[in-house]
């Protein structure tokens, strides 16, 4: 989380930039979400899937996927005047998880993308953020042809802590992705405020 001073026509104002992670399993739509909502050309570190990766990456259910993120995705979106979000998309495969600790430093919170066809793939991300007490929301990416489940069904299936938001979204749609991010910022703000009050109580 960083503050940036910027000049404005009505005088100096402080612009707030918040760091957000976008996580989840392999092929769930993290790169798509960052690209859809970013107001700048997103930075992507995608490489073609290779035969060498077939023995370690589970591509079941995402057979049409031909590339994968090997470091991170990066984008930026302005939520309102004076508030920007810097988005860092994490790689989904187990072999790249060593990058998560670096990417999570200073993050306000995270979006865990979920695919109901492979819901178990987002368990590691949920566990990661729960154990590190990083606020997160679960965003169910509603793929065409996938069985529809309600937010409560997904929350129970993932055994989420009470109060952890679950939202339905379309990672390809900018407005849908923006709503997910707004929900996260609101939720993370409440969590951090409660922790601050507890620490001084």
């Amino acid at each position: 989380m960083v503050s940036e001073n910027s000049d404005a026509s009505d005088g100096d104002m402080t612009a707030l930039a918040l760091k957000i992670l976008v996580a989840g399993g392999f092929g769930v739509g993290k790169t798509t979400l960052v690209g859809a909502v970013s107001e700048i050309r997103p930075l992507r570190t995608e490489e073609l899937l290779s035969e060498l990766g077939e023995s370690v990456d589970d591509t079941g259910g995402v057979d049409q996927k031909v590339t994968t993120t090997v470091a991170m995705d990066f984008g930026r979106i302005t939520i309102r005047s004076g508030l920007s979000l810097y988005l860092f998309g994490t790689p989904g495969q187990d072999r790249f998880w060593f990058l998560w600790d670096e990417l999570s430093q200073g993050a306000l919170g995270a979006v865990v993308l979920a695919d109901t066809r492979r819901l178990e793939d987002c368990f590691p991300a949920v566990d990661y953020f729960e154990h590190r007490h990083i606020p997160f929301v679960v965003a169910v990416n509603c793929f065409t042809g996938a069985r529809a489940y309600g937010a409560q069904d997904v929350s129970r299936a993932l055994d989420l802590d009470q109060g952890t938001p679950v939202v339905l979204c379309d990672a390809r749609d900018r407005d849908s992705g923006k709503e997910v991010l707004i929900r996260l910022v609101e939720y993370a703000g409440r969590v951090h405020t409660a922790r601050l009050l507890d620490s001084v109580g």
Side-chain angles (χ1 to χ4, degrees):
M1 187 185 320
V2 294
S3 294
E4 299 175 340
N5 292 324
S6 60
D7 294 330
S9 57
D10 57 349
D12 290 340
M13 66 178 224
T14 300
L16 188 62
L18 304 175
K19 182 179 183 180
I20 302 295
L21 298 186
V22 180
F26 178 62
V28 77
K30 300 179 295 294
T31 298
T32 300
L33 177 66
V34 172
V37 301
S38 181
E39 62 199 14
I40 62 172
R41 183 177 180 181
L43 168 68
R44 292 177 173 155
T45 57
E46 289 198 306
E47 294 292 340
L48 290 172
L49 290 172
S50 67
E51 292 182 5
L52 291 175
E54 288 180 0
S55 62
V56 290
D57 295 330
D58 178 11
T59 59
V62 286
D63 304 325
Q64 303 303 313
K65 187 171 175 62
V66 295
T67 61
T68 185
T69 299
V70 295
M72 67 173 187
D73 299 310
F74 174 78
R76 185 190 71 209
I77 179 174
T78 301
I79 296 296
R80 58 172 172 75
S81 178
L83 175 60
S84 297
L85 303 182
Y86 290 158
L87 308 175
F88 292 81
T90 65
Q93 301 99 308
D94 299 5
R95 57 196 169 109
F96 294 124
W97 280 358
F98 66 92
L99 295 169
W100 284 39
D101 287 337
E102 289 293 328
L103 291 175
S104 65
Q105 291 294 319
L108 174 78
V111 173
V112 176
L113 270 178
D115 178 353
T116 57
R117 301 169 302 179
R118 310 171 85 213
L119 197 57
E120 66 280 0
D121 287 1
C122 70
F123 274 112
V126 168
D127 289 343
Y128 181 90
F129 297 122
E130 282 184 345
H131 289 141
R132 287 161 180 77
H133 306 290
I134 297 174
F136 68 94
V137 301
V138 173
V140 179
N141 192 7
C142 299
F143 286 91
T144 303
R147 182 177 171 185
Y149 292 91
Q152 289 296 328
D153 295 327
V154 173
S155 181
R156 283 193 295 269
L158 294 176
D159 193 26
L160 297 177
D161 292 339
Q162 187 174 6
T164 301
V166 176
V167 295
L168 308 181
C169 74
D170 182 344
R172 303 166 299 180
D173 182 77
R174 187 176 194 274
D175 289 338
S176 181
K178 186 174 179 179
E179 283 302 316
V180 170
L181 295 171
I182 291 172
R183 186 79 177 271
L184 170 63
V185 170
E186 292 173 346
Y187 173 64
R190 292 194 299 270
V191 170
H192 287 296
T193 298
R195 289 175 182 169
L196 180 62
L197 291 175
D198 285 345
S199 69
V200 298

